[in-house]
Amino acid sequence: MDSTDTHLDIEDFTDFLSKDAQREIKELSREWFQLYNEREFDKLMDFYTKDSFYNSTGAWETAKGKTAIMKLIRQDRELGTCKRFIQEMGSISGEDIVYTRGRVVVYADDGTELNTGKDVHILHKINGRYIIHIDCYNYDSE
């Protein structure tokens, strides 16, 4: 899978974000999924605030904080590699707090599609850089 081909951009919902903010958010997502697929879990934690929340399919409780998040991400990665398509991004509070909504496809190591789902990220701009504060996804019903 080509890690640079991780997004389908739909510009309809980005009126309140500058092109620079849009580009930065897309790059953050590309980098996150590249590190995830390469199992670089320690580096992934740089993408989260210290009090971030993470909720995924099958998680019976929401993980809070980097240690708990890393545990769930490691478990999720055992399912396969992922590709993300951003469908929408927008402002919650100027460009300081933004959201993305997208689709996720999970692949087996041989490239077979295993599952599809949806996700939402709430990002905070801290020290000039977007950081994930809430990361939530689930699989589509079968």
Side-chain angles (χ1 to χ4, degrees):
M1 174 182 5
D2 181 0
S3 63
T4 62
D5 182 28
T6 57
H7 296 82
L8 169 65
D9 299 326
I10 298 177
E11 302 287 333
D12 297 340
F13 301 97
T14 58
D15 293 343
F16 300 105
L17 296 177
S18 68
K19 294 294 183 191
D20 286 342
Q22 292 174 44
R23 190 171 29 259
E24 186 178 345
I25 293 163
K26 291 173 194 175
E27 184 58 28
L28 176 139
S29 188
R30 282 185 192 98
E31 290 176 24
W32 192 100
F33 276 88
Q34 181 177 351
L35 292 170
Y36 176 87
N37 288 333
E38 294 171 357
R39 299 175 189 264
E40 295 284 349
F41 304 116
D42 290 331
K43 291 179 183 177
L44 274 179
M45 293 305 101
D46 291 339
F47 288 74
Y48 291 90
T49 63
K50 65 181 178 183
D51 59 348
S52 289
F53 294 91
Y54 181 86
N55 195 339
S56 67
T57 297
W60 294 104
E61 60 186 56
T62 300
K64 182 178 181 190
K66 292 183 178 187
T67 302
I69 290 170
M70 186 186 298
K71 180 180 175 186
L72 279 183
I73 287 176
R74 285 178 183 272
Q75 291 172 356
D76 289 341
R77 177 56 182 86
E78 292 307 313
L79 301 174
T81 60
C82 284
K83 184 174 180 180
R84 181 172 193 231
F85 302 89
I86 292 178
Q87 295 177 309
E88 178 181 342
M89 67 174 72
S91 169
I92 295 173
S93 179
E95 290 190 357
D96 292 330
I97 303 174
V98 299
Y99 72 91
T100 64
R101 180 184 62 80
R103 304 279 310 147
V104 175
V105 181
V106 179
Y107 298 93
D109 290 336
D110 67 2
T112 305
E113 185 177 306
L114 296 175
N115 215 330
T116 60
K118 52 216 160 282
D119 69 358
V120 173
H121 291 154
I122 306 298
L123 306 154
H124 290 204
K125 193 156 201 174
I126 300 172
N127 298 323
R129 178 175 175 249
Y130 285 107
I131 306 288
I132 300 168
H133 182 66
I134 299 174
D135 185 346
C136 182
Y137 82 93
N138 61 14
Y139 293 131
D140 296 330
S141 299
E142 295 184 4

